[in-house]
Amino acid sequence: MMNESKELNGKTAVITGAGSGLGRSIAIGIARAGANVVIADINKQQATQTCEMINKKMPEVTATAVLCDVTNEVDVEKIFANIKESFESFDILVNAAGVAPAGALVDMPVDKWRFALEVNLTGYFLMAKHAARLMIEQGTGGTIVNLSSKSGLDASKNNTPYNATKAGELHMARGWAMELGQHNIRVNSVCPGNVFEGSKIWNPEYIKVCAKKYNIEPEEVIPHYVSKTILNKEIKGRDIADAVVFLASEKSRMITGQTLVVDAGQVMVR
Ligand SMILES: NC(=O)c1ccc[n+]([C@@H]2O[C@H](COP(=O)([O-])OP(=O)(O)OC[C@H]3O[C@@H](n4cnc5c(N)ncnc54)[C@H](O)[C@@H]3O)[C@@H](O)[C@H]2O)c1
């Protein structure tokens, strides 16, 4: 801990979906880098657990759990009003709250499709809208990172809502980078490969859908995905968190509107 660099010292970050999986890993990574973190999740209990994990290991930063449905603009506005009152500055937004309703196109109920659009697109949009407003008002710049997916670049089979929304998140980020650069707000995306550690997306039902897709047994799913990577390694939450910390830090000061793929070499960006 003592030797770790503190590239986000004194910053304040909001991470959505940080009650679980990748959002949680990212919140821990950002706190480890020295920033205060606001953990926004629809599951307050799990958000609180993330805060407890951070408070225990990194007492030098503040971790706050907030109940927030990212699709509800009133919830979203409240978060930024509270941050304005409680912190000296607001610097980093990470959009990670996401859902992945899987299934074949011909069987996909429209409500599952609409649900994914609402969380993965409307949720990212509302958070970025109000984060950018506060950053512009402060006049000190900031960074926004959208957690997309390699499925946003290379479509995955039986995943229509996920493919569409993850590609949409990448393109929204590019447009926001164009709009917000004049305010010194950088916007980038991270596309993780398959990350099983702590993820509720990779629940037993989802693993069964994937097993069926590849005609393998559910217990073969993780080794199957790992074998698709060039490095033949399982990607962990920390690997994604390190990429997000880089994009949130000064070290990436000349990078905006870009996509960083962290997938152990599965998808080649064209
Ligand atoms: N795990 C992977 O393999 C993988 C790969 C690529 C991209 N991603 C992306 O990473 C993000 C997190 O995925 P994960 O696997 O950690 O999933 P997860 O289900 O473990 O975590 C998602 C979190 O988002 C929260 N959430 C859901 N709807 C919300 C809402 N309306 N408002 C606020 N919070 C809400 C959930 O409560 C949960 O804590 C998603 O955007 C996903 O697309 C994941």
Side-chain angles (χ1 to χ4, degrees):
M1 281 282 297
M2 275 177 68
N3 292 330
E4 284 190 82
S5 62
K6 296 277 182 189
E7 54 268 62
L8 301 180
N9 249 347
K11 306 276 186 196
T12 297
V14 177
I15 305 100
T16 70
S20 172
L22 284 180
R24 174 175 280 175
S25 297
I26 291 165
I28 292 170
I30 287 180
R32 197 186 284 119
N36 298 314
V37 287
V38 177
I39 311 296
D41 203 291
I42 202 166
N43 187 326
K44 178 81 184 281
Q45 200 190 351
Q46 289 199 192
T48 304
Q49 274 174 16
T50 306
C51 286
E52 286 166 0
M53 292 163 86
I54 292 171
N55 289 331
K56 208 168 145 193
K57 288 202 170 161
M58 292 155 260
E60 65 280 13
V61 301
T62 307
T64 315
V66 182
L67 175 67
C68 170
D69 177 350
V70 294
T71 70
N72 179 331
E73 193 158 15
V74 175
D75 279 7
V76 172
E77 278 177 313
K78 252 191 228 158
I79 285 202
F80 293 104
N82 288 339
I83 287 178
K84 200 175 155 181
E85 272 190 17
S86 312
F87 295 96
E88 273 176 29
S89 67
F90 165 60
D91 312 281
I92 301 156
L93 166 68
V94 181
N95 272 321
V99 292
L105 168 66
V106 290
D107 299 324
M108 180 61 61
V110 72
D111 58 335
K112 278 196 177 184
W113 158 260
R114 291 202 171 111
F115 174 61
L117 294 189
E118 198 58 8
V119 179
N120 297 357
L121 289 178
T122 308
Y124 277 42
F125 151 71
L126 286 176
M127 288 298 301
K129 170 182 167 183
H130 291 283
R133 275 191 184 174
L134 182 51
M135 286 170 180
I136 292 168
E137 189 186 315
Q138 289 177 167
T140 48
T143 59
I144 297 176
V145 179
N146 273 1
L147 204 63
S148 172
S149 165
K150 70 171 172 42
S151 304
L153 296 163
D154 262 13
S156 43
K157 196 176 160 191
N158 292 354
N159 243 340
T160 301
Y162 198 67
N163 290 335
T165 55
K166 290 291 146 181
E169 289 168 5
L170 293 176
H171 222 48
M172 285 199 298
R174 294 177 187 121
W176 299 340
M178 292 171 79
E179 280 185 59
L180 301 174
Q182 61 183 312
H183 302 289
N184 197 27
I185 300 169
R186 297 184 296 106
V187 188
N188 292 290
S189 302
V190 170
C191 286
N194 304 110
V195 186
F196 307 97
E197 182 188 52
S199 167
K200 285 191 292 177
I201 284 184
W202 287 100
N203 56 58
E205 196 196 333
Y206 193 75
I207 294 218
K208 264 193 222 157
V209 172
C210 295
K212 201 173 158 196
K213 181 160 76 176
Y214 296 110
N215 204 18
I216 55 178
E217 295 301 319
E219 58 274 17
E220 294 173 304
V221 165
I222 295 181
H224 174 79
Y225 279 107
V226 170
S227 75
K228 288 182 174 198
T229 67
I230 289 177
L231 298 178
N232 199 26
K233 283 184 182 158
E234 185 179 337
I235 307 152
K236 299 288 187 181
R238 173 89 191 236
D239 302 318
I240 309 306
D242 285 350
V244 173
V245 168
F246 166 69
L247 288 175
S249 78
E250 259 299 287
K251 286 185 180 162
S252 61
R253 61 195 165 273
M254 288 297 161
I255 302 177
T256 194
Q258 306 304 316
T259 300
L260 182 51
V261 184
V262 187
D263 68 349
Q266 191 175 338
V267 169
M268 297 283 175
V269 178
R270 289 170 287 271

